[in-house]
Amino acid sequence: MPRQKMTKRPYKKIHLLSKRLELRPYWFSDFKIVQKSHKNRVATVDKFDEPIPTSKKSDYQKYKERLNRQRSHGKDELHFIFGVFDKKNGLYIGQIDLFTINKQLRWGNIGYHIQNQFYRRGYATEAGKLGLKAAFKFLGFHRVEAAMELDNKGSQQVAIKIGLKFEGKRIKFFPDKGGLDMNVYATNAIDYKF
């Protein structure tokens, strides 16, 4: 019996809007606005403030290669990466990632990353809610979780605001630095309310 696809809508066709934001896969034509946003970052705010990987390279060919990999991963239902843009002026605000942890269980992980010049405006919460809508309504996920370092209070607050509930701590979950402990927040398609 052939395996059914998890997704209800092709990744490349997902385009969601909220009050202020637009969430969609990156386009090749986004290169200049992504670069401009990266150049407008302010001084590092804390240890969790890192540039978004899509915007690190100033070479259009590298950007194009990265987007082609993202599209391939989305088609294979491995990793779905969405750009977050201001609906009114098109500014590049950040990124939402949805990683597939287990296809059979339709279990994934959400990551939210906002360029630091846009911090403290509620964009991570607004974009995170759009990410969960994409996960449950269009990508066929049943369970979505967010895992973050124990002292990443900002990420924990966003997780709660977007409707994830604290489930516990995973000991030495990531192999970095001898094993990083992570707090885990999660929800599922049954309990999540849009």
Side-chain angles (χ1 to χ4, degrees), residues 4 62-63 73 77 91 105 119 153 159 162:
Q4 281 192 320
K62 297 281 186 197
Y63 174 82
H73 289 169
E77 300 178 338
L91 287 175
L105 296 176
Y119 277 10
K153 302 299 181 197
I162 66 174

Side-chain angles (χ1 to χ4, degrees), residues 18 20-21 96 110 112 114 121-132 154-155 157-163 192:
S18 64
R20 299 178 295 170
L21 302 177
I96 295 291
I110 189 169
Y112 27 85
I114 301 299
R121 299 183 196 178
Y123 288 132
T125 300
E126 196 170 332
K129 287 178 180 179
L130 287 175
L132 287 176
S155 187
Q157 289 173 353
V158 171
I160 292 165
K161 288 177 183 177
I162 66 174
Y192 190 76

Side-chain angles (χ1 to χ4, degrees), residues 29 53 59 68 79 86 96 107 120 133 135 143-144 159 184 187-188 192:
S29 60
D59 177 345
N68 282 328
H79 187 191
D86 185 293
I96 295 291
W107 171 22
R120 312 220 189 299
K133 184 175 184 178
R143 173 188 163 81
V144 175
V184 177
T187 191
N188 60 66
Y192 190 76

Side-chain angles (χ1 to χ4, degrees), residues 132-149:
L132 287 176
K133 184 175 184 178
F136 294 133
K137 193 169 181 181
F138 301 115
L139 297 174
F141 283 97
H142 167 68
R143 173 188 163 81
V144 175
E145 66 181 43
M148 69 281 302
E149 290 184 47

